[in-house]
């Protein structure tokens, strides 16, 4: 059996821990004070009594009527306590925190959800998320594109295209001595800007491909798709019209499971 001194010590420590839990669990509402005590009402007071007590204290401690700095601080605390207790949801959460001080993390989560969750417009969150994702998407596309361009510019094929373009601009008068030397950096940059580099898998970024733009144009895209499906059904299912060249090409590409870019390149070569 434990000695009486140890039992008393354990009781004191337990009481201190309980007080700490209560303070921690409710401090997010009215700091170290009790919201009910600040308004001078009991926990069983109804909304009318709470409202009446708040108006009485606010008139007494309002800064316009009481210039005392301590009274001003008390006025702020009273106003905060009233904001918590006047709403049934936040009051119920506060009462729960008093009754269950050990659930510190749960009470804290409920507090921030009540105070900040309903104040955040979901539409603003969605727009902000789309803007952030679009910014990362745009930067990633530019990074990939610039890396691909740097790799292409190191290839002999690119340098030969630059040399051919230089000869074309100079009318074929570039001498061999000049051609054997490294091309002037400024000239190379000017000629490189005239060459259209089409790099598969790392196309130049476009604003139309960004998530936020596609989301804004989503109703238009869906409407356009529905209109296309309706026209297709009417023309080829109802009227039994022969397929046009473009539609026949589309059906062929779908049946072969060919990538769209490769199919377009194939059509250009065919023409």
């Amino acid at each position: 059996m434990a000695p009486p001194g140890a039992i008393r010590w354990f009781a004191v420590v337990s009481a201190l821990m309980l007080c700490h839990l209560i303070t921690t669990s409710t401090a997010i509402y009215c700091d170290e004070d009790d919201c009910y005590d600040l308004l001078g009402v009991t926990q069983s007071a109804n909304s009318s009594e709470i409202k009446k007590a708040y108006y009485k204290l606010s008139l007494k401690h309002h800064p316009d009527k009481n210039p005392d700095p301590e009274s001003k601080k008390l006025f702020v605390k009273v106003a905060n306590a009233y904001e918590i207790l006047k709403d049934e949801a936040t009051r119920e959460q506060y009462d729960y925190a008093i009754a269950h001080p050990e659930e510190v993390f749960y009470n804290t989560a409920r507090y921030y959800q009540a105070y900040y969750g309903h104040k955040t417009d979901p539409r603003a969150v969605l727009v902000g998320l789309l803007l952030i994702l679009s910014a990362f998407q745009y930067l990633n596309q530019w990074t990939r594109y610039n890396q691909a361009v740097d790799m292409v510019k190191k290839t002999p094929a690119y340098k030969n295209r630059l040399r051919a373009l230089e000869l074309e601009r100079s009318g074929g008068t570039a001498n061999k001595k000049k051609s054997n030397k490294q091309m002037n950096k400024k000239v190379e940059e000017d000629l490189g800007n005239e060459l259209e580099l089409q790099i598969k898998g790392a196309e130049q970024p476009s604003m139309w491909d960004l998530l936020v733009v596609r989301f804004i144009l989503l109703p238009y895209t869906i409407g356009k798709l529905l209109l296309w499906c309706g026209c297709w059904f009417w023309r080829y299912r109802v009227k039994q019209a022969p397929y046009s060249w473009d539609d026949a090409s589309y059906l062929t590409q779908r049946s072969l499971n060919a990538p769209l870019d490769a199919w377009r390149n194939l059509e250009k070569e065919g023409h």
Side-chain angles (χ1 to χ4, degrees), residues 161-214:
R161 289 181 62 185
L162 280 182
R163 181 60 59 191
L165 185 61
E166 183 189 25
L167 291 174
E168 180 182 347
R169 293 290 181 269
S170 61
T173 58
N175 54 43
K176 295 183 178 179
K177 183 177 181 181
K178 181 180 178 181
S179 62
N180 291 333
K181 289 185 177 181
Q182 186 177 5
M183 188 179 299
N184 182 274
K185 291 293 183 182
K186 189 176 186 308
V187 175
E188 182 179 355
E189 182 178 352
D190 294 339
L191 295 176
N193 293 333
E194 296 184 31
L195 290 178
E196 295 183 1
L197 295 179
Q198 296 181 353
I199 306 171
K200 185 177 180 180
E203 293 77 11
Q204 189 170 356
S206 172
M207 298 294 293
W208 297 104
D209 295 331
L210 297 181
L211 289 174
V212 64
V213 177
R214 290 190 175 186

Side-chain angles (χ1 to χ4, degrees), residues 19 70 77 107 110 129 145 159 164 186 192 220 250 265:
C19 291
E70 293 299 325
K77 291 184 178 182
N107 292 327
R110 294 185 70 191
L129 181 62
Y145 178 74
K159 296 184 181 299
K186 189 176 186 308
Y220 168 77
Y250 167 75
N265 293 333

